Amino acid sequence: MKIGIIGAGTVGTVLAKTFARGDHQIKLSRHSGAASLATRRAEFAANVAFVEVAEALQQPLVILAVPFEQAPAVLAQVADYKQRIVVDVTNQFTADFKKIKTAPLTGSEVIARAANNARVIKAFNTIPPEFMDGHVDGPGKRVLFYAGDDIAAKKEFAALVRPLNFRPVNLGKLRYGGSVMQVGGGLGNTHFVQIEE
């Protein structure tokens, strides 16, 4: 699958490397342009390409790894996502780590409204970056909570992450699942492991 990643900070970088382990073409982008990533070429596998944000946003699956405050404007660059999947990994913090209030909507619902005609999946935002690669010290799989309003999109997402040593756990729709995954919802900064019994 072709996967576009918006944002090449800590989270975007980890996810680019994680999905590059699969048989995928990763299109990594950042606001300062593809050329600004050139000095980091050695960090990534050959199936990770540096592209402009506009190109990354056109991929079949888009991972949004930018600050929450910037996310709506970034997503608005595409008028119609044509039912493509957008994975929201944002958390509602300002640059100085103050909580951003989105009520009555959940943060993921705000993202879904900004991504016109996209099938939005909330995922990865509850896990500390050092565990976003799916690794486990010992037996078991890294638990990955996710939520979304489209059943088919959630099944596709779950199938995508299982080979990367994740145990995807569906928390339901963006309204309910998103509320427990977002800042203050109870699951933030957690990292569980499922061990077969």
Side-chain angles (χ1 to χ4, degrees):
M1 173 180 279
K2 293 181 179 179
I3 299 173
I5 299 179
I6 318 301
T10 300
V11 172
T13 295
V14 172
L15 293 179
K17 294 177 180 179
T18 299
F19 283 99
R21 299 201 319 261
D23 186 22
H24 307 296
Q25 297 178 46
I26 312 302
K27 310 286 187 179
L28 182 62
S29 69
R30 62 182 304 196
H31 71 280
S32 52
S36 68
L37 291 166
T39 58
R40 298 177 57 189
R41 178 67 266 176
E43 290 182 41
F44 301 94
N47 57 334
V48 178
F50 302 148
V51 303
E52 301 301 324
V53 169
E55 182 177 345
L57 284 168
Q58 293 298 329
Q59 302 311 306
L61 185 139
V62 175
I63 296 175
L64 187 67
V66 300
F68 183 81
E69 291 177 302
Q70 298 174 17
V74 170
L75 292 167
Q77 295 179 49
V78 177
D80 185 349
Y81 282 85
K82 300 178 181 179
Q83 289 290 289
R84 291 182 290 116
I85 295 175
V86 171
V87 180
D88 169 27
V89 304
T90 67
N91 278 312
Q92 303 95 278
F93 282 123
T94 62
D96 55 354
F97 296 102
K98 292 180 180 178
K99 183 179 177 181
I100 299 171
K101 295 180 181 180
T102 62
L105 300 177
T106 62
S108 53
E109 288 177 312
V110 170
I111 297 299
R113 287 194 176 187
N116 182 47
N117 199 24
R119 296 181 295 163
V120 173
I121 302 290
K122 184 74 169 177
F124 289 105
N125 69 299
T126 64
I127 306 176
E130 60 266 33
F131 298 107
M132 286 183 182
D133 61 359
H135 86 275
V136 173
D137 295 326
K141 293 183 178 293
R142 179 69 56 196
V143 172
L144 177 63
F145 297 111
Y146 68 104
D149 294 342
D150 187 280
I151 294 173
K154 288 195 286 187
K155 288 181 177 178
E156 187 174 344
F157 175 78
L160 183 71
V161 299
R162 280 193 188 99
L164 303 174
N165 203 46
F166 289 106
R167 169 60 172 92
V169 176
N170 180 7
L171 295 181
K173 295 190 173 185
L174 296 177
R175 163 64 54 171
Y176 306 107
S179 68
V180 296
M181 293 171 69
Q182 69 181 20
V183 176
L187 288 177
N189 204 40
T190 58
H191 46 98
F192 301 106
V193 174
Q194 184 199 42
I195 299 176
E196 297 296 337
E197 297 180 351

